[in-house]
Structure formats: structure tokens, C-alpha cells
Amino acid sequence: MSMVTTSAWVPRGFAAPFPTKYQFDEDEFERIAGLAKLQLDDAKEDLEEAEEEEEKKKAVGSSSKTEGSTPLKNTAREEIEIDDDLKEYDLENYDNDDDDEQGEAQQMGMFGNIKSLAYYENNKDDPYITMKDDGEEDEDREDLQILATDNLILAAKIEDELAHLEVYVYEDEADNLYVHHDIMLPAIPLCVEWLDIPVNKPSVDKDSIGNFVAVGTFDPDIEIWDLDTVDCMYPNAILGQGGNPEEEKAKKKKKKKSKKANDEYHVDAVLALAANRKHRNLLASGSADKTIKLWDLHTTKCAKSYSYHTDKVCSLAWHSVESTVLLSGSYDRTIAIADMRAPTVSPTRVGVESDVETVRWDPHDPNYFYVSTENGIVHYFDARNATTDPAVSKSVWQLQAHDESISSFDLNPVIPGFMATGSTDKTVKIWNIGPQGPSLVVSRDFDVGKVFTTTFGPDPAVAFRLAVGGSKGTMSVWDTSTNAGVRKAFAQKLPETPAKEGHVEDRLVGVDDADSSSSEEGEDDEEEEESDNESKSGNEDESMDED
């Protein structure tokens, strides 16, 4: 099984030109030992509990047996009859090591005096190595290089029951997409959020610019990783109960008995993450435990917890102007607008017809926001009309975008009215939102399976690039500006750039599974005509209800 569950872009200029190799020293060992201590203690406690239960079962079983019967484990050795001919070989002690004999064997061996051998931590210090490996180091350094014109794409992936985060480099000019490095994860990833602030990195100022990622999984803890360090063994920080082993040890028994929602950490899967771009040390998280947590990344502690939803919280979005206002969507079929500075004030709400999938503020008009639902409908709401009663809410317009669930949805941050939706029906659709509402521009099937992620590039230079991933485990970048329907719909908004040689309609850049090199996939003429026909007929056939 291979699947891309979610993805996120990293803007240009934030990644280190030459990412560093992970250094495992004594300080790092102590840090990891402290973070992992709780997991080890929990495992020991689980083992002890299992052994106690087993002993109780054996005690109950033995009391119900007759007096002459004894447990198999206690009589196993007595029932084994050793043949007289085999006694001389002493097979019962076959696995026991004899230190004296082992010592003699070492002295007799060719390398028995191994302690007298000298070794060097670095090949440069070894006088017997005359061929220096500087060229290999330079080559490795060049392979890791990230240019200022490159974008990173973070793709959370499940492959053969292993969960990991793949860090792609996207070279737009070269039409190249490749995996730079990956990060192993403890459980199936559900959400990722790029962070521009260093977390738990003592060597840099806490308010400086960083390149980190927060990952939410089926586990209740949130892991934060440094994207500029390759081959990391353990996250820089853990937000949740796994990040404070000393406090956990004192409260462990209490937590074992109950996993009720609390004000300190999540107790169920983390479904949504949202980084505050103005208050950079704040990260909001939504969980299946029905709570929203506000984390301080400077201290890696939960600053505040909110419990105004009655079901799983699946999507979060900070307001672009009012930076303390958070939009949240839940399986309770409501969307809440809350000011995080006033936790005691009841938030305003709007309601929808089915479970919420994604919520997004309109990046070009902060008074409005979008909501996508499990029934394939996109709602457009005016936040100023929201009240404390979601039953009386009314959308500006609503669109039946897909027949199945809208599993992914994004708005172009650079081009107004440019919307993309992805669905479990395996299609990606581009929409043009005008004064009269949305109209279909093009619908495509990129052979990624059920679509789980569609995200636009964050920079003006890649504004028309759409990252697409799904249930087949492949990640691709679609240059939507190469589609005839998109060019026609957004002709006034397209940048004036000279056409490239060998121009391909519907240019799609992906990763070649055979050798992990980049590949391009073009659509044939029949699919181009199909696209144009869909674009023309979409404006007439797609259903849009005005309220």
C-alpha cells in the first residue's frame, strides 16, 4: 500500500542552501534519551501489567484443575527424558558460554590481539590512507544543494505500512521534481504545517527565521522537525505528553486510567494544524478529542485549550488580518469563528449540511471564508453575518463541486478567484470565481487515485503550479497555465513570459519511480479537446445555488 495523505509547500528562500548532516554527539544522545524515556517506561509498565494478568489467569486455571495436575510450564523439564547416549554431550548447557575457553580462542585467532590495533575517527588523520575523499564530500555537498529559485514540497506518505515525510525539491525552470531526503514518522500522518521559526534549536536565536515542519498523526503528539538537517533520528521537539517525560512519570498512573480531554495535551489523533504567520511562535492544533490547543513554540507547551466543538476538529485557519481570530471546522457540522484572546466568549458559528472537510479564509477578501464538505459541496460565507446559532446561518452561494467527498481544496494566494478542488472521485477541478459565483474551468484525472491533496505554489513565480497527490502514492506538480481552459479563464491575470521550447499542453512534472529522476507527462490532442469541451460546457452544466 502506498498513499500520499497530505502535502505543503515551502516558499522560496527559507531552505538552507546546503542542509547539514545529522550529528549524533553526547548532547544529542542525552536529549533523545530524555525524550524517549517515557516511551520506554510505558512499554515496561505495559509488559508488567500483561505478566500480572497472565499470572492471574494461570492461578484461576490451576485452581479449577484436579489436585494431581500441575501446570505444563512447571513440569516441562521433568517430562523431558534425556537419552543415556546423549548425556556425555551435555546438551542442556550447550548455549552457556565458557569465558576461559573463549579467551583462549581469541588468543589463538589471527586477530586475537585486537586491542593493539589503532583506529582513527577521521580518514584524514590516518597516515595509511593516501587517497583522500575530498571529491566525494564535495559531490555529496553538491547533491544536497538547494537553490534560491527552488521550492520544497512536503508530502506525508504511507508506504508498505511505514509512515514517512518526503521532502521534495521542485525546480520550476528545469521541470524537475525529486526527493531530497525523508523523515521517518511514528504513525500515519494526517496533517503537516510548515513553520518559519526555529524550535528547540539552542544554536540560533528563538525569533530568527527557520525552516521547520510540524506533523500531526494518529498519535496524540505533534512532532516538529528541522528541514535543514538531513537523516535526523529524532524530532527537535514533541508537543504533547511525549515531550515532557519527567512530568509524565509523576502523572503516569493517573493518565493510564483515563484518556479524557484536558488542558495540557491531546489524547487522540491530531487532524489539523495552523501556524500563525504574524505571531510566529503560536501553533494551533485540532484533534479527534474535540479540542483545539494553542501551543507556544518557544516553550513547546500548551498555552490554552478550547472545547467549543462537540465532535472531531478537522480543519483550522488563522485570519490574515485579525491575527488572533481562528476559523475551525468540525464533524459536528459547524464552523466556529473565535478570538483566541477571549476563551470565555462563545464564538460565532455557521452550519452546513454534512461533515466539514476543509475551511479557508478568502485570501483576497478577509470578510469571507470557504467551507468544503463530505457531500462534495463548497460553501461561501460572509463572516460578518455569522451568529451564535448555526441553524440560522446562510451562505452567499454554494456549489456542488463533486459527487463524492471533497477531500482536498485550496485557493490561489496570488491570483484572485482561482480555486482548486480534489475529490475521492479521482478528479481535480479548477474553478473561476467571479461576481456571479464559481464556474468550472477544467476537470482532470491525473492518475493519482483518490485525490487527497491539492495545494497551490506560495510564490508569484509558481502561482499557477498545483501539487497533487493521492491514494496511489505519487506526487505531481501541474502547471495549470499550460492548459488552454485556464489560459482563457485567467488571460488577464497570466504573467507575460516567453513560451518555452517544446511547449507541452497540460505540463505535469512528477517523480520517476524507476530512478527517482524527474519526468514529464503530456496529454494527447484528444484530451486537450476534451478539456476545452469540458471548460465550455462546465459553465452551463455545473450546479450552483444562490441563497
Coordinates of all heavy atoms in Angstrom, one line a residue, residues 204-273:
V204 N 20.7 28.9 17.6 CA 20.2 30.0 16.9 C 19.2 30.8 17.8 O 18.7 30.2 18.8 CB 19.5 29.6 15.6 CG1 20.4 29.0 14.7 CG2 18.3 28.8 15.9
D205 N 19.0 32.1 17.5 CA 18.0 32.9 18.3 C 16.6 32.4 18.0 O 16.2 32.0 16.9 CB 18.1 34.3 17.8 CG 17.2 35.2 18.6 OD1 17.5 35.5 19.8 OD2 16.2 35.7 18.1
K206 N 15.8 32.4 19.1 CA 14.5 31.8 19.0 C 13.5 32.5 18.1 O 12.5 31.9 17.7 CB 13.9 31.6 20.4 CG 13.6 33.0 21.1 CD 13.0 32.8 22.5 CE 12.7 34.1 23.2 NZ 12.1 33.9 24.5
D207 N 13.8 33.8 17.8 CA 12.9 34.6 17.0 C 13.5 34.7 15.5 O 13.0 35.5 14.7 CB 12.7 35.9 17.6 CG 11.8 35.9 18.8 OD1 10.8 35.1 18.8 OD2 12.1 36.6 19.8
S208 N 14.6 34.0 15.2 CA 15.2 34.1 13.9 C 14.3 33.3 12.9 O 13.4 32.7 13.3 CB 16.6 33.6 13.9 OG 16.6 32.2 14.3
I209 N 14.7 33.4 11.6 CA 14.0 32.7 10.6 C 14.5 31.2 10.6 O 15.6 30.9 10.6 CB 14.2 33.4 9.2 CG1 13.7 34.8 9.2 CG2 13.5 32.6 8.1 CD1 12.3 34.9 9.5
G210 N 13.5 30.3 10.5 CA 13.8 28.9 10.4 C 13.1 28.2 9.3 O 12.4 28.8 8.5
N211 N 13.4 26.9 9.2 CA 12.7 26.1 8.2 C 12.4 24.7 8.8 O 13.1 23.8 8.7 CB 13.7 25.9 7.0 CG 13.1 25.1 5.9 OD1 11.8 25.2 5.7 ND2 13.9 24.4 5.1
F212 N 11.2 24.7 9.5 CA 10.8 23.5 10.3 C 9.4 23.1 9.8 O 8.7 23.8 9.0 CB 10.7 23.9 11.7 CG 12.1 24.0 12.4 CD1 13.0 25.0 12.1 CD2 12.5 23.1 13.4 CE1 14.2 25.1 12.7 CE2 13.7 23.2 14.0 CZ 14.6 24.2 13.6
V213 N 9.0 21.9 10.2 CA 7.7 21.4 9.9 C 7.1 20.7 11.1 O 7.8 20.0 11.9 CB 7.8 20.4 8.7 CG1 8.6 19.1 9.1 CG2 6.4 19.9 8.3
A214 N 5.8 20.9 11.3 CA 5.0 20.3 12.3 C 4.2 19.2 11.7 O 3.6 19.4 10.6 CB 4.2 21.3 13.1
V215 N 4.2 18.0 12.3 CA 3.4 16.9 11.7 C 2.5 16.3 12.7 O 2.8 16.0 13.9 CB 4.4 15.8 11.3 CG1 3.7 14.6 10.6 CG2 5.5 16.3 10.3
G216 N 1.2 16.2 12.3 CA 0.2 15.6 13.1 C -0.2 14.2 12.6 O -0.3 14.0 11.4
T217 N -0.3 13.2 13.5 CA -0.5 11.8 13.1 C -1.7 11.2 13.9 O -2.4 11.9 14.6 CB 0.8 11.0 13.3 OG1 1.0 10.8 14.7 CG2 2.0 11.6 12.6
F218 N -1.9 9.9 13.7 CA -2.9 9.2 14.5 C -2.5 9.2 16.0 O -3.3 8.9 16.8 CB -3.1 7.8 14.0 CG -4.1 7.7 13.0 CD1 -3.8 7.4 11.6 CD2 -5.5 7.8 13.3 CE1 -4.8 7.3 10.7 CE2 -6.5 7.7 12.4 CZ -6.2 7.5 11.1
D219 N -1.2 9.4 16.3 CA -0.8 9.6 17.7 C -1.2 11.0 18.2 O -1.3 11.9 17.4 CB 0.7 9.4 17.8 CG 1.2 8.0 17.7 OD1 0.3 7.1 17.7 OD2 2.4 7.7 17.5
P220 N -1.4 11.1 19.5 CA -1.8 12.4 20.0 C -0.7 13.5 20.1 O -1.0 14.7 20.3 CB -2.3 12.1 21.4 CG -1.6 10.8 21.8 CD -1.4 10.1 20.5
D221 N 0.5 13.1 19.9 CA 1.7 14.0 19.9 C 1.9 14.7 18.6 O 1.7 14.1 17.5 CB 2.9 13.3 20.4 CG 2.8 12.9 21.8 OD1 2.0 13.5 22.6 OD2 3.5 11.9 22.2
I222 N 2.4 15.9 18.6 CA 2.8 16.6 17.4 C 4.3 16.7 17.4 O 5.0 17.1 18.3 CB 2.2 18.1 17.4 CG1 0.7 18.0 17.5 CG2 2.7 18.8 16.1 CD1 0.1 19.4 17.9
E223 N 4.9 16.2 16.3 CA 6.4 16.2 16.1 C 6.8 17.4 15.3 O 6.2 17.7 14.3 CB 6.9 14.9 15.5 CG 6.6 13.7 16.4 CD 7.4 12.5 15.9 OE1 7.8 12.5 14.7 OE2 7.4 11.5 16.6
I224 N 7.9 18.0 15.7 CA 8.5 19.2 14.9 C 9.9 18.8 14.5 O 10.7 18.4 15.4 CB 8.5 20.4 15.8 CG1 7.0 20.8 16.1 CG2 9.2 21.6 15.1 CD1 6.9 22.0 17.0
W225 N 10.2 18.9 13.2 CA 11.4 18.5 12.6 C 12.1 19.7 11.9 O 11.4 20.6 11.4 CB 11.2 17.4 11.6 CG 10.7 16.1 12.2 CD1 9.4 15.8 12.4 CD2 11.4 15.0 12.5 NE1 9.3 14.6 13.0 CE2 10.5 14.0 13.0 CE3 12.8 14.6 12.5 CZ2 10.9 12.7 13.4 CZ3 13.2 13.4 12.9 CH2 12.2 12.4 13.4
D226 N 13.4 19.6 11.9 CA 14.2 20.6 11.2 C 14.5 20.2 9.8 O 15.1 19.1 9.5 CB 15.6 20.8 11.9 CG 16.4 21.9 11.3 OD1 16.0 22.5 10.3 OD2 17.5 22.2 11.9
L227 N 13.9 20.9 8.8 CA 14.0 20.5 7.4 C 15.4 20.8 6.8 O 15.8 20.3 5.8 CB 13.0 21.3 6.6 CG 11.6 21.0 6.9 CD1 10.6 21.9 6.1 CD2 11.2 19.5 6.5
D228 N 16.3 21.6 7.5 CA 17.6 21.8 7.1 C 18.7 20.9 7.6 O 19.9 21.1 7.4 CB 18.0 23.3 7.5 CG 17.3 24.3 6.7 OD1 16.8 24.0 5.6 OD2 17.1 25.5 7.2
T229 N 18.2 19.8 8.3 CA 19.1 18.8 8.8 C 18.7 17.4 8.2 O 17.5 17.1 8.2 CB 19.1 18.7 10.3 OG1 19.4 19.9 10.8 CG2 20.0 17.6 10.8
V230 N 19.6 16.8 7.5 CA 19.3 15.5 6.8 C 19.6 14.3 7.7 O 20.6 14.3 8.5 CB 20.2 15.4 5.5 CG1 19.9 14.1 4.8 CG2 19.9 16.6 4.6
D231 N 18.8 13.3 7.6 CA 19.0 12.0 8.3 C 18.8 12.1 9.8 O 19.5 11.5 10.6 CB 20.4 11.4 8.0 CG 20.5 11.1 6.5 OD1 19.5 10.8 5.9 OD2 21.7 11.1 6.1
C232 N 17.8 13.0 10.2 CA 17.6 13.1 11.7 C 17.0 11.8 12.2 O 16.3 11.1 11.6 CB 16.5 14.2 11.9 SG 17.2 15.9 11.8
M233 N 17.4 11.5 13.5 CA 16.9 10.3 14.1 C 15.7 10.6 15.0 O 14.8 9.7 15.2 CB 18.0 9.7 15.0 CG 19.2 9.2 14.3 SD 20.5 8.6 15.4 CE 19.6 7.3 16.3
Y234 N 15.6 11.8 15.5 CA 14.5 12.1 16.5 C 14.1 13.6 16.3 O 14.9 14.4 15.8 CB 15.0 11.9 17.9 CG 14.0 11.3 18.8 CD1 13.6 10.0 18.7 CD2 13.3 12.1 19.8 CE1 12.6 9.5 19.6 CE2 12.4 11.6 20.6 CZ 12.0 10.3 20.5 OH 11.1 9.8 21.4
P235 N 12.8 13.9 16.5 CA 12.4 15.3 16.2 C 13.0 16.3 17.2 O 13.5 16.0 18.3 CB 10.9 15.2 16.5 CG 10.7 14.0 17.3 CD 11.7 13.1 16.9
N236 N 13.1 17.6 16.7 CA 13.6 18.6 17.6 C 12.7 18.8 18.8 O 13.2 19.2 19.9 CB 13.7 19.9 16.8 CG 14.8 20.0 15.8 OD1 14.9 19.1 14.9 ND2 15.8 20.9 16.0
A237 N 11.4 18.7 18.7 CA 10.5 18.9 19.8 C 9.3 18.0 19.6 O 8.9 17.7 18.5 CB 10.1 20.3 19.9
I238 N 8.6 17.7 20.7 CA 7.4 16.9 20.7 C 6.4 17.8 21.5 O 6.6 18.0 22.7 CB 7.5 15.5 21.3 CG1 8.5 14.7 20.4 CG2 6.1 14.8 21.3 CD1 8.7 13.3 21.0
L239 N 5.3 18.1 20.9 CA 4.2 18.9 21.6 C 3.2 17.9 22.1 O 2.5 17.2 21.3 CB 3.6 19.9 20.6 CG 4.5 20.9 19.9 CD1 3.7 21.8 19.0 CD2 5.4 21.6 20.9
G240 N 3.1 17.7 23.4 CA 2.2 16.8 23.9 C 2.8 16.0 25.1 O 3.8 16.3 25.6
Q241 N 2.1 14.9 25.4 CA 2.6 14.2 26.6 C 3.9 13.5 26.4 O 4.6 13.2 27.4 CB 1.5 13.1 27.0 CG 1.1 12.2 25.8 CD 0.0 11.3 26.2 OE1 -0.3 11.1 27.4 NE2 -0.6 10.6 25.2
G242 N 4.3 13.2 25.2 CA 5.6 12.6 24.9 C 6.8 13.5 25.0 O 7.9 13.1 25.0
G243 N 6.5 14.8 25.1 CA 7.6 15.8 25.2 C 8.0 16.2 26.6 O 9.0 16.9 26.7
N244 N 7.4 15.7 27.6 CA 7.7 16.0 29.0 C 7.8 14.8 29.8 O 6.9 14.5 30.6 CB 6.6 17.0 29.6 CG 6.5 18.2 28.8 OD1 7.4 19.0 28.6 ND2 5.3 18.4 28.2
P245 N 8.9 14.0 29.7 CA 8.9 12.7 30.4 C 9.0 12.8 31.9 O 8.4 12.0 32.6 CB 10.3 12.1 29.8 CG 11.0 13.3 29.3 CD 10.0 14.2 28.8
E246 N 9.6 13.9 32.4 CA 9.7 14.0 33.9 C 8.3 14.2 34.5 O 7.9 13.6 35.5 CB 10.6 15.1 34.3 CG 12.1 14.8 33.9 CD 13.0 15.9 34.3 OE1 12.5 16.9 34.8 OE2 14.2 15.8 34.0
E247 N 7.5 15.1 33.8 CA 6.2 15.4 34.4 C 5.3 14.2 34.2 O 4.4 13.9 35.0 CB 5.6 16.6 33.6 CG 6.3 17.9 33.9 CD 5.7 19.1 33.2 OE1 4.7 18.9 32.6 OE2 6.4 20.1 33.2
E248 N 5.5 13.5 33.0 CA 4.7 12.3 32.8 C 4.9 11.2 33.8 O 3.9 10.5 34.1 CB 5.0 11.8 31.4 CG 4.4 12.7 30.2 CD 2.9 12.8 30.4 OE1 2.2 11.8 30.4 OE2 2.5 14.0 30.5
K249 N 6.1 11.1 34.2 CA 6.4 10.0 35.2 C 5.6 10.2 36.5 O 5.1 9.2 37.1 CB 7.9 10.0 35.5 CG 8.3 8.8 36.3 CD 9.8 8.7 36.4 CE 10.3 7.5 37.1 NZ 11.7 7.4 37.3
A250 N 5.4 11.4 36.9 CA 4.7 11.7 38.1 C 3.2 11.5 38.0 O 2.5 11.1 38.9 CB 4.9 13.1 38.6
K251 N 2.7 11.6 36.7 CA 1.3 11.6 36.5 C 0.9 10.3 35.7 O -0.3 10.2 35.3 CB 0.8 12.8 35.7 CG 1.1 14.1 36.4 CD 0.7 15.3 35.5 CE 1.1 16.6 36.2 NZ 0.7 17.7 35.3
K252 N 1.8 9.4 35.5 CA 1.6 8.3 34.6 C 0.4 7.4 34.9 O -0.4 7.1 34.1 CB 2.8 7.5 34.5 CG 2.8 6.4 33.4 CD 4.0 5.5 33.5 CE 5.3 6.2 33.5 NZ 6.4 5.3 33.7
K253 N 0.3 7.1 36.2 CA -0.8 6.2 36.6 C -2.1 6.8 36.4 O -3.1 6.2 36.0 CB -0.6 5.7 38.1 CG 0.6 4.8 38.3 CD 0.7 4.3 39.7 CE 1.9 3.4 39.9 NZ 2.0 2.9 41.3
K254 N -2.2 8.1 36.7 CA -3.5 8.8 36.5 C -3.9 8.8 35.1 O -5.0 8.6 34.7 CB -3.3 10.2 37.1 CG -4.6 11.0 37.0 CD -4.4 12.4 37.7 CE -5.7 13.2 37.6 NZ -5.5 14.5 38.2
K255 N -2.9 9.0 34.2 CA -3.2 9.1 32.8 C -3.5 7.7 32.2 O -4.3 7.6 31.2 CB -2.0 9.7 32.0 CG -1.8 11.1 32.4 CD -0.5 11.6 31.7 CE -0.2 13.0 32.2 NZ 1.1 13.5 31.7
K256 N -2.9 6.6 32.8 CA -3.2 5.3 32.3 C -4.7 4.9 32.5 O -5.3 4.2 31.7 CB -2.3 4.3 33.0 CG -0.9 4.3 32.5 CD -0.8 3.4 31.3 CE 0.7 3.3 30.9 NZ 0.8 2.4 29.7
K257 N -5.2 5.4 33.6 CA -6.6 5.1 33.9 C -7.6 5.8 33.0 O -8.7 5.3 32.7 CB -6.9 5.4 35.4 CG -6.1 4.5 36.3 CD -6.4 4.9 37.8 CE -5.6 4.1 38.7 NZ -5.8 4.5 40.1
S258 N -7.3 7.1 32.6 CA -8.2 7.9 31.9 C -7.6 8.6 30.8 O -6.5 9.2 30.9 CB -8.9 8.9 32.9 OG -9.8 9.7 32.2
K259 N -8.2 8.7 29.6 CA -7.7 9.4 28.5 C -8.7 10.5 28.1 O -9.0 10.8 26.9 CB -7.4 8.5 27.3 CG -6.2 7.7 27.5 CD -5.8 7.0 26.2 CE -4.5 6.3 26.3 NZ -4.1 5.7 25.0
K260 N -9.2 11.2 29.1 CA -10.1 12.3 28.9 C -9.4 13.5 28.4 O -8.3 13.8 28.7 CB -10.9 12.6 30.2 CG -11.9 11.5 30.6 CD -12.6 11.9 31.8 CE -13.6 10.8 32.2 NZ -14.4 11.1 33.5
A261 N -10.1 14.3 27.6 CA -9.5 15.6 27.1 C -9.1 16.5 28.3 O -9.8 16.5 29.3 CB -10.5 16.3 26.2
N262 N -8.0 17.2 28.1 CA -7.5 18.0 29.2 C -6.9 19.3 28.6 O -6.9 19.5 27.4 CB -6.5 17.3 30.1 CG -5.3 16.8 29.2 OD1 -4.5 17.6 28.8 ND2 -5.3 15.5 28.9
D263 N -6.4 20.1 29.5 CA -5.9 21.4 29.0 C -4.4 21.4 28.7 O -3.8 22.5 28.4 CB -6.1 22.5 30.1 CG -7.6 22.8 30.3 OD1 -8.4 22.5 29.4 OD2 -8.0 23.3 31.4
E264 N -3.7 20.3 28.8 CA -2.3 20.2 28.6 C -1.8 19.6 27.3 O -0.8 19.9 26.8 CB -1.6 19.5 29.8 CG -1.9 20.2 31.1 CD -1.3 19.4 32.3 OE1 -0.6 18.3 32.0 OE2 -1.5 19.8 33.4
Y265 N -2.5 18.6 26.8 CA -2.1 17.9 25.6 C -3.3 17.2 25.0 O -4.4 17.0 25.6 CB -1.0 16.8 26.0 CG -1.5 15.9 27.1 CD1 -2.2 14.8 26.9 CD2 -1.2 16.2 28.5 CE1 -2.6 13.9 27.9 CE2 -1.6 15.4 29.5 CZ -2.3 14.2 29.2 OH -2.7 13.4 30.2
H266 N -3.1 16.7 23.8 CA -4.2 16.0 23.1 C -4.1 14.5 23.5 O -3.1 14.0 23.9 CB -4.0 16.0 21.6 CG -4.4 17.4 21.0 ND1 -5.6 17.9 21.1 CD2 -3.6 18.2 20.2 CE1 -5.6 19.1 20.4 NE2 -4.4 19.3 19.9
V267 N -5.3 13.8 23.5 CA -5.3 12.4 23.8 C -5.8 11.6 22.7 O -6.1 10.4 22.9 CB -6.3 12.2 25.1 CG1 -5.7 12.9 26.3 CG2 -7.7 12.7 24.8
D268 N -6.0 12.2 21.5 CA -6.4 11.4 20.3 C -5.7 12.0 19.1 O -4.9 12.9 19.2 CB -7.9 11.5 20.2 CG -8.5 10.3 19.5 OD1 -7.8 9.6 18.7 OD2 -9.7 10.0 19.6
A269 N -6.0 11.4 17.9 CA -5.3 11.8 16.7 C -5.4 13.3 16.4 O -6.4 14.0 16.7 CB -5.9 11.1 15.5
V270 N -4.3 13.9 15.9 CA -4.2 15.3 15.5 C -4.6 15.4 14.1 O -3.9 14.9 13.2 CB -2.8 15.9 15.8 CG1 -2.8 17.3 15.4 CG2 -2.4 15.7 17.2
L271 N -5.7 16.1 13.8 CA -6.3 16.2 12.4 C -6.0 17.5 11.7 O -6.1 17.5 10.5 CB -7.8 16.0 12.5 CG -8.4 14.8 13.2 CD1 -9.9 14.8 13.2 CD2 -7.8 13.5 12.6
A272 N -5.6 18.5 12.4 CA -5.4 19.8 11.8 C -4.3 20.6 12.5 O -4.2 20.6 13.7 CB -6.7 20.6 11.7
L273 N -3.5 21.4 11.7 CA -2.5 22.3 12.3 C -2.6 23.6 11.5 O -2.8 23.6 10.3 CB -1.1 21.7 12.1 CG -0.8 20.4 12.9 CD1 0.5 19.8 12.4 CD2 -0.7 20.7 14.4

